Amino acid sequence: MKYDTVIIGAGLSGLAAAIRLAHFGGKVAVLERHYRVGGLNSFYRKDRRDFDVGLHAMTNYAPHGPKSAPFQKLLRQLRLREEEFSLVPQTQSRIVFPGVTLPFGNGIESLTASVADRFPSQADNFRRLVEEVLAHDELNLANRWSSARQRVAATLTDPLLVDMLFLPLMYYGSADEEDMDFTQFVVMMKAVFCEGFCRPAGGMRPVLDRLLARCEEAGVEIHLRTGVASVEVADGKVTGVVTDAGDRIGCDAVLSSAGNVETARFCPASVADGEASPRAGRMSFMESIHVMKAPVADEATIVFFNRTDRLRYRKPDALIDLDSGVVCMPGNFAYTADRPAPAEADRTVRITSIADPDRWRTLEGDAYADAKERMGIEQRTAASFAVPAVGGDVVYHDIFTPRTVERFTGHVNGAVYGSPDKRRDGKTGVRGLSLIGTDQGFLGIVGSMLSGISIANQLMTERK
Amino acid sequence: MTKDAIRQAIVDIIQEILPDEDMGGIELDKPLRDQLELDSMDFLDIVMELRKRYHIEVPEKDYMELNTLGSTIAYLEPKMANL
Ligand SMILES: Cc1cc2nc3c(=O)[nH]c(=O)nc-3n(C[C@H](O)[C@H](O)[C@H](O)COP(=O)(O)OP(=O)(O)OC[C@H]3O[C@@H](n4cnc5c(N)ncnc54)[C@H](O)[C@@H]3O)c2cc1C
């Protein structure tokens, strides 16, 4: 059997790339090691409750927005309609540091007004920063890494405001510790503040079902429980892949969403001669989902908090970093009669903390289970600094750690945002092998789909 | 294909890409990019749909021929005349 393209991973980037290539007649197989599609943003059922793995909010909310908006591009490219996502916008979110709170909603005007109110001396600087961000072409695949901290500090002169802006942007999309690539900063500014948050009312399952239906229409083959053990290369060019079961599948091109370090493990030649090996990502998270006894008494959709004066975004010297975190309340989106909230949404909170993969890895059996329980409680106590309601009684909870992420998605260290070394053009040392998704560099739900689309388009253009 | 049929073929392709757009008002000699806010990804789609539907190849050096609806029809006429 021979394919034009084999795609490694049925996460959002892999599915989007597959739809593009197959829509235009390519013979495409998606190979996924797990028994379910969706990768980092899948769904699961446990103890008769349905949960999303990674959904806080979808960024880039641009309802009926300009055609240049990333979400609108994505819809056109995949031949999907906005209605099919049943999106509901956030109500309001906030960034909380000791003594200062910055509320923001969808659209940059809202944050601009908060900044002018809380940081009057920075109001003009902030407007200039926004102009700089809007003028930057973040989709240019030729962009190189440059320090966002330096660029932003040149415009905003209050370090507290800078940290307050970086908090949500780093938590939602930085593989780098303490700094971000300026292009990635721009991507996230636009995604989070200029456009904003929404949620597919029913969670990720209907979205993934729709993507699967598009795959089927287009003729994509999806093989679950089919891991790729190695990529075959001859004369510097891809010739096929070998599955975990030892089957050889021939193809002309491979798109890998496994990550660059991970891809290098099963295809050493992907690191070109003389090139440094990509660094493994270090940023991972503990994510807990709590179903509270009573509806959550807080109106915010997402609260980003930092309990100290300066933001620290790096691998902690502890199981989790209790000084900062994110609280998501999925009940607080603007649901409607035909886009209703899922069961128990008003009683659910999700909390994210930065975690140390190495410490979690060394724990075995009961010690691991105990640590999860303990950290779940400590995390809630810490988060009550910004959302007192999370201190209430809990009737059910589920917690996942860097280890869970690594086990289900293969990302080394459970690094949700992958390696700090991105390859914007997707290219590797092997002709015909490209990276998509996390380590191509467009992150998140919308970002990873656009990543798959962009690299699939590049492949189609080169093939002609 | 006649000139009118080619025009219709192009409009059908654009309509698939932009299902909500009113195609009635497209002007022949104004850049499609400006009239419809098309980006390079959309132009790639037009090219790929032409290939998928009519087996016509538009090499990258010819992309500027797709500037307006009128120039697109003129460019495709010899390629589609015998379809
Ligand atoms: C807890 C959490 C919360 C998040 N919250 C949000 C949010 O609120 N909003 C948002 O936009 N984003 C969020 N994200 C990020 C978002 O989920 C990811 O950026 C996105 O899903 C990445 O998609 P991807 O296709 O690049 O990679 P992945 O989803 O990781 O897909 C890679 C796939 O490849 C498979 N694979 C790996 N190796 C192999 C192999 N050798 N053979 C076969 N298959 C293989 C994996 O099993 C996986 O399915 C969150 C992530 C997490 C973990």
Side-chain angles (χ1 to χ4, degrees), chain A residues 188-256:
Chain A
M188 296 307 297
M189 270 289 279
K190 291 183 179 173
V192 171
F193 295 133
C194 300
E195 298 178 330
F197 297 142
C198 64
R199 180 190 146 93
M204 284 311 287
R205 184 168 192 166
V207 171
L208 289 166
D209 283 346
R210 189 64 195 102
L211 292 174
L212 287 179
R214 280 295 292 123
C215 281
E216 197 174 323
E217 275 166 40
V220 175
E221 286 178 28
I222 298 182
H223 299 273
L224 301 176
R225 295 190 175 89
T226 308
V228 169
S230 63
V231 173
E232 294 195 321
V233 179
D235 300 329
K237 191 176 176 322
V238 158
T239 56
V241 301
V242 178
T243 67
D244 292 340
D247 297 321
R248 183 181 182 280
I249 300 175
C251 60
D252 293 330
V254 171
L255 300 183
S256 171

XYZ file of all heavy atoms in Angstrom, chain A residues 188-256:
498
model
N -0.335 35.281 20.341
C -1.143 35.122 21.553
C -1.883 36.407 21.923
O -3.009 36.359 22.396
C -0.265 34.643 22.724
C 0.358 33.274 22.545
S -0.825 31.960 22.135
C -1.852 31.955 23.589
N -1.237 37.568 21.725
C -1.933 38.847 21.977
C -3.200 38.919 21.134
O -4.263 39.282 21.615
C -1.041 40.035 21.578
C -0.128 40.624 22.598
S -0.939 41.561 23.927
C -1.233 43.160 23.186
N -3.047 38.602 19.847
C -4.206 38.676 18.953
C -5.245 37.643 19.358
O -6.446 37.925 19.387
C -3.770 38.455 17.496
C -2.939 39.605 16.940
C -2.576 39.399 15.466
C -1.763 40.589 14.952
N -1.246 40.371 13.583
N -4.763 36.432 19.661
C -5.679 35.325 19.950
C -6.475 35.561 21.234
O -7.668 35.283 21.303
C -4.892 34.018 20.052
N -5.786 36.095 22.257
C -6.389 36.198 23.592
C -7.041 37.557 23.823
O -8.166 37.631 24.314
C -5.311 35.930 24.678
C -5.836 36.246 26.075
C -4.839 34.480 24.602
N -6.335 38.637 23.490
C -6.838 39.973 23.839
C -7.555 40.667 22.673
O -8.578 41.299 22.874
C -5.705 40.873 24.333
C -5.083 40.411 25.628
C -3.699 40.346 25.762
C -5.870 40.055 26.722
C -3.115 39.935 26.952
C -5.290 39.640 27.918
C -3.908 39.583 28.031
N -6.987 40.601 21.477
C -7.610 41.333 20.366
C -8.866 40.606 19.900
O -9.858 41.239 19.570
C -6.640 41.503 19.205
S -5.159 42.424 19.660
N -8.826 39.285 19.852
C -10.016 38.526 19.466
C -10.690 38.028 20.743
O -11.603 38.685 21.228
C -9.624 37.424 18.481
C -9.034 38.071 17.225
C -8.558 37.112 16.159
O -8.139 35.982 16.474
O -8.587 37.509 15.001
N -10.236 36.925 21.296
C -10.762 36.572 22.609
C -11.229 35.140 22.735
O -10.966 34.303 21.867
N -11.920 34.880 23.845
C -12.260 33.509 24.219
C -13.687 33.122 23.847
O -14.618 33.921 23.980
C -12.156 33.326 25.734
C -10.777 33.518 26.299
C -10.604 34.151 27.528
C -9.654 33.045 25.625
C -9.332 34.320 28.072
C -8.375 33.212 26.165
C -8.229 33.848 27.396
N -13.832 31.877 23.463
C -15.160 31.304 23.284
C -15.038 29.816 23.570
O -13.973 29.327 23.919
C -15.663 31.525 21.860
S -14.660 30.686 20.626
N -16.134 29.126 23.399
C -16.117 27.704 23.675
C -17.136 27.038 22.758
O -18.240 27.556 22.575
C -16.533 27.525 25.137
C -16.577 26.123 25.618
C -17.228 26.033 27.001
N -17.943 24.786 27.016
C -17.422 23.656 27.467
N -16.241 23.636 28.031
N -18.091 22.518 27.371
N -16.746 25.925 22.141
C -17.779 25.148 21.455
C -18.732 24.675 22.562
O -18.280 24.014 23.505
C -17.011 23.977 20.842
C -15.547 24.243 21.071
C -15.427 25.251 22.155
N -20.008 25.060 22.462
C -20.914 24.857 23.601
C -20.820 23.439 24.145
O -20.749 23.227 25.353
C -22.343 25.202 23.199
N -20.783 22.469 23.273
C -20.765 21.071 23.720
C -19.378 20.513 23.992
O -19.226 19.303 24.171
N -18.346 21.368 24.000
C -16.995 20.876 24.248
C -16.337 20.371 22.967
O -16.796 20.651 21.865
N -15.235 19.626 23.122
C -14.445 19.219 21.956
C -15.061 18.076 21.166
O -14.775 17.901 19.996
C -13.033 18.811 22.398
C -12.141 19.971 22.733
S -12.114 21.278 21.475
C -11.157 20.505 20.154
N -15.901 17.293 21.784
C -16.379 16.103 21.083
C -17.107 16.432 19.771
O -16.774 15.855 18.728
C -17.259 15.270 22.003
C -17.653 14.016 21.315
C -18.274 13.001 22.205
N -18.306 11.778 21.429
C -18.527 10.595 21.927
N -18.735 10.456 23.212
N -18.543 9.545 21.151
N -18.082 17.350 19.794
C -18.743 17.671 18.526
C -17.788 18.267 17.485
O -17.955 18.030 16.287
C -19.819 18.694 18.908
C -19.750 18.887 20.374
C -18.700 18.009 20.950
N -16.787 19.010 17.948
C -15.816 19.581 17.018
C -15.019 18.460 16.349
O -14.848 18.418 15.124
C -14.863 20.550 17.755
C -13.720 20.987 16.856
C -15.632 21.750 18.284
N -14.550 17.532 17.166
C -13.769 16.427 16.613
C -14.639 15.549 15.709
O -14.180 15.085 14.662
C -13.145 15.603 17.750
C -12.018 16.338 18.479
C -11.662 15.634 19.793
C -10.770 16.436 17.593
N -15.889 15.352 16.096
C -16.793 14.570 15.240
C -16.941 15.226 13.874
O -16.959 14.565 12.847
C -18.181 14.433 15.890
C -18.174 13.402 17.008
O -17.194 12.621 17.102
O -19.143 13.375 17.806
N -17.047 16.542 13.873
C -17.201 17.260 12.613
C -15.946 17.132 11.763
O -16.008 16.956 10.546
C -17.530 18.736 12.900
C -17.923 19.534 11.705
C -19.219 19.045 11.056
N -19.385 19.603 9.719
C -19.141 18.951 8.575
N -18.758 17.703 8.586
N -19.293 19.551 7.411
N -14.783 17.242 12.417
C -13.528 17.093 11.667
C -13.422 15.677 11.096
O -12.979 15.479 9.961
C -12.319 17.401 12.557
C -12.175 18.860 13.001
C -11.016 18.995 13.989
C -11.939 19.798 11.810
N -13.854 14.702 11.865
C -13.800 13.320 11.375
C -14.736 13.126 10.186
O -14.411 12.415 9.240
C -14.167 12.333 12.496
C -13.090 12.154 13.556
C -13.557 11.191 14.636
C -11.800 11.640 12.915
N -15.901 13.777 10.248
C -16.832 13.671 9.122
C -16.213 14.295 7.871
O -16.336 13.753 6.766
C -18.160 14.352 9.467
N -15.511 15.422 8.034
C -14.828 16.037 6.896
C -13.729 15.116 6.359
O -13.532 15.009 5.157
C -14.203 17.387 7.290
C -15.142 18.550 7.347
C -15.724 18.916 5.980
N -14.748 19.446 5.042
C -14.479 18.941 3.834
N -15.112 17.883 3.409
N -13.584 19.510 3.050
N -13.016 14.471 7.277
C -11.977 13.516 6.855
C -12.607 12.423 5.998
O -12.080 12.053 4.946
C -11.307 12.865 8.069
S -10.083 13.915 8.866
N -13.741 11.924 6.459
C -14.378 10.823 5.743
C -14.841 11.270 4.350
O -14.572 10.587 3.357
C -15.551 10.298 6.558
C -16.005 8.933 6.113
C -17.070 8.363 7.031
O -16.987 8.589 8.259
O -17.991 7.719 6.510
N -15.514 12.436 4.307
C -15.941 12.973 3.000
C -14.774 13.100 2.032
O -14.909 12.849 0.845
C -16.483 14.402 3.173
C -17.926 14.528 3.552
C -18.201 15.970 4.012
O -17.660 16.931 3.393
O -18.933 16.110 4.988
N -13.642 13.552 2.579
C -12.489 13.806 1.720
C -11.729 12.520 1.383
O -10.848 12.526 0.528
C -11.560 14.818 2.394
N -12.053 11.442 2.088
C -11.392 10.170 1.800
C -10.124 9.894 2.594
O -9.279 9.104 2.172
N -9.991 10.534 3.755
C -8.820 10.287 4.607
C -8.986 8.935 5.311
O -10.071 8.608 5.767
C -8.718 11.372 5.710
C -7.580 11.066 6.680
C -8.570 12.752 5.094
N -7.901 8.175 5.375
C -7.943 6.962 6.202
C -7.364 7.292 7.563
O -6.280 7.861 7.657
C -7.074 5.865 5.588
C -7.673 5.224 4.362
C -6.725 4.182 3.793
O -5.920 3.585 4.556
O -6.775 3.985 2.571
N -8.080 6.919 8.630
C -7.533 7.149 9.975
C -7.328 5.794 10.637
O -8.254 4.983 10.706
C -8.486 8.017 10.807
C -8.635 9.388 10.139
C -7.956 8.188 12.237
C -9.525 10.358 10.881
N -6.103 5.560 11.073
C -5.804 4.287 11.731
C -5.454 4.565 13.188
O -4.389 5.117 13.476
C -4.636 3.590 11.044
C -4.912 3.260 9.606
N -5.527 2.096 9.204
C -4.690 3.974 8.474
C -5.664 2.098 7.884
N -5.162 3.229 7.421
N -6.355 4.199 14.079
C -6.094 4.374 15.506
C -5.286 3.174 16.016
O -5.144 2.180 15.324
C -7.417 4.502 16.266
C -8.286 5.684 15.805
C -9.629 5.677 16.533
C -7.569 7.014 16.043
N -4.754 3.308 17.230
C -3.901 2.260 17.808
C -2.792 1.849 16.846
O -2.421 0.685 16.745
C -4.723 1.013 18.155
C -5.747 1.228 19.244
C -6.322 -0.122 19.664
N -7.230 0.014 20.775
C -8.538 0.248 20.622
N -9.062 0.383 19.419
N -9.304 0.341 21.684
N -2.311 2.836 16.086
C -1.262 2.555 15.102
C -0.150 3.579 15.293
O -0.189 4.664 14.712
C -1.832 2.643 13.662
O -2.999 1.824 13.587
C -0.810 2.183 12.650
N 0.791 3.236 16.151
C 1.907 4.143 16.396
C 2.939 4.018 15.290
O 3.053 2.973 14.649
N 3.683 5.092 15.082
C 4.800 5.034 14.137
C 6.077 4.808 14.938
O 6.402 5.583 15.837
C 4.895 6.342 13.319
C 6.198 6.402 12.532
C 3.690 6.458 12.401
N 6.796 3.720 14.610
C 8.018 3.390 15.334
C 9.232 4.000 14.655
O 10.218 4.327 15.310
C 8.166 1.871 15.428
N 9.178 4.133 13.334
C 10.298 4.773 12.636
C 9.858 5.297 11.274
O 8.840 4.870 10.728
C 11.467 3.795 12.462
O 11.069 2.722 11.647
N 10.646 6.244 10.785
C 10.421 6.792 9.450
C 11.563 6.298 8.577
O 12.730 6.360 8.972
C 10.410 8.343 9.479
C 10.351 8.920 8.071
C 9.240 8.844 10.313
N 11.230 5.779 7.415
C 12.273 5.263 6.525
C 12.739 6.355 5.575
O 11.933 7.082 4.999
C 11.740 4.075 5.739
C 11.430 2.902 6.648
C 11.255 1.620 5.880
O 10.658 1.676 4.785
O 11.719 0.584 6.370
N 14.064 6.412 5.432
C 14.665 7.468 4.616
C 15.659 6.829 3.660
O 16.428 5.953 4.060
C 15.413 8.474 5.530
C 16.076 9.563 4.693
C 14.465 9.076 6.560
N 15.626 7.214 2.401
C 16.659 6.778 1.453
C 17.134 8.002 0.685
O 16.311 8.800 0.226
C 16.099 5.726 0.498
N 18.442 8.144 0.562
C 19.033 9.303 -0.130
C 18.476 10.625 0.380
O 18.151 11.524 -0.402
C 18.778 9.218 -1.649
C 19.394 7.970 -2.251
O 20.439 7.532 -1.714
O 18.815 7.434 -3.218
N 18.297 10.722 1.708
C 17.852 11.983 2.285
C 16.382 12.281 2.072
O 15.913 13.371 2.365
N 15.627 11.285 1.570
C 14.215 11.528 1.289
C 13.342 10.444 1.921
O 13.742 9.287 2.019
C 14.005 11.537 -0.234
C 12.648 12.038 -0.610
C 12.392 12.159 -2.078
C 10.941 12.590 -2.300
N 9.951 11.997 -1.389
N 12.151 10.850 2.360
C 11.228 9.904 2.993
C 10.772 8.841 1.997
O 10.446 9.155 0.851
C 9.975 10.674 3.490
C 8.797 9.737 3.648
C 10.264 11.389 4.787
N 10.728 7.584 2.448
C 10.160 6.541 1.580
C 8.980 5.838 2.243
O 8.209 5.162 1.579
C 11.207 5.476 1.205
O 11.746 4.931 2.433
C 12.332 6.086 0.376
N 8.863 5.966 3.568
C 7.746 5.302 4.237
C 7.901 5.346 5.741
O 8.821 5.987 6.263
N 6.974 4.682 6.429
C 7.070 4.585 7.885
C 6.880 3.126 8.282
O 6.334 2.334 7.515
C 6.001 5.441 8.606
C 6.123 6.910 8.230
C 4.603 4.937 8.324
N 7.356 2.790 9.489
C 7.134 1.450 10.036
C 6.338 1.607 11.320
O 6.671 2.446 12.168
C 8.472 0.734 10.319
C 8.227 -0.640 10.924
C 9.293 0.618 9.045
N 5.275 0.855 11.455
C 4.415 1.004 12.624
C 4.965 0.218 13.811
O 5.866 -0.617 13.663
C 2.992 0.499 12.328
O 3.050 -0.918 12.143
C 2.412 1.168 11.099
N 4.379 0.463 14.980
C 4.782 -0.276 16.180
C 4.640 -1.786 15.957
O 5.390 -2.583 16.506
C 3.902 0.126 17.377
C 4.159 1.566 17.818
O 5.232 2.103 17.484
O 3.285 2.149 18.496
N 3.644 -2.165 15.152
C 3.407 -3.589 14.893
C 4.353 -4.144 13.834
O 4.319 -5.330 13.522
C 1.953 -3.799 14.446
N 5.202 -3.275 13.269
C 6.190 -3.744 12.302
C 5.736 -3.672 10.857
O 6.451 -4.121 9.959
N 4.560 -3.105 10.604
C 4.110 -2.986 9.215
C 4.798 -1.818 8.533
O 4.937 -0.746 9.122
C 2.587 -2.748 9.157
C 1.826 -3.919 9.732
O 2.251 -5.071 9.479
O 0.838 -3.694 10.457
N 5.166 -2.021 7.281
C 5.777 -0.939 6.522
C 4.735 -0.287 5.623
O 3.977 -0.967 4.944
C 6.923 -1.488 5.661
C 7.614 -0.382 4.936
C 8.749 -0.786 4.040
N 9.279 0.462 3.503
C 8.729 1.127 2.501
N 7.652 0.669 1.902
N 9.254 2.274 2.077
N 4.676 1.037 5.680
C 3.720 1.775 4.859
C 4.499 2.761 4.010
O 5.179 3.639 4.539
C 2.703 2.521 5.764
C 1.933 1.500 6.623
C 1.739 3.357 4.922
C 0.993 2.128 7.632
N 4.406 2.611 2.703
C 5.172 3.471 1.803
C 4.463 4.804 1.582
O 3.240 4.880 1.607
N 5.234 5.862 1.424
C 4.631 7.172 1.148
C 5.694 8.132 0.617
O 6.896 7.892 0.767
C 4.000 7.751 2.416
S 5.164 7.988 3.741
N 5.219 9.217 -0.006
C 6.140 10.222 -0.546
C 6.431 11.334 0.451
O 7.407 12.044 0.325
C 5.533 10.867 -1.796
C 5.437 9.859 -2.928
O 6.287 8.958 -2.960
O 4.510 9.983 -3.751
N 5.496 11.525 1.389
C 5.692 12.608 2.350
C 5.141 12.186 3.706
O 4.199 11.395 3.784
C 4.986 13.876 1.880
N 5.774 12.700 4.753
C 5.304 12.456 6.117
C 5.161 13.802 6.814
O 6.073 14.638 6.746
C 6.296 11.572 6.914
C 5.906 11.500 8.385
C 6.368 10.168 6.323
N 4.019 14.018 7.448
C 3.843 15.196 8.311
C 3.748 14.674 9.731
O 2.875 13.864 10.039
C 2.563 15.960 7.948
C 2.452 16.504 6.523
C 1.151 17.290 6.357
C 3.640 17.392 6.183
N 4.645 15.122 10.588
C 4.660 14.611 11.949
C 4.202 15.663 12.950
O 4.779 16.744 13.032
C 6.069 14.148 12.332
O 6.104 13.841 13.726
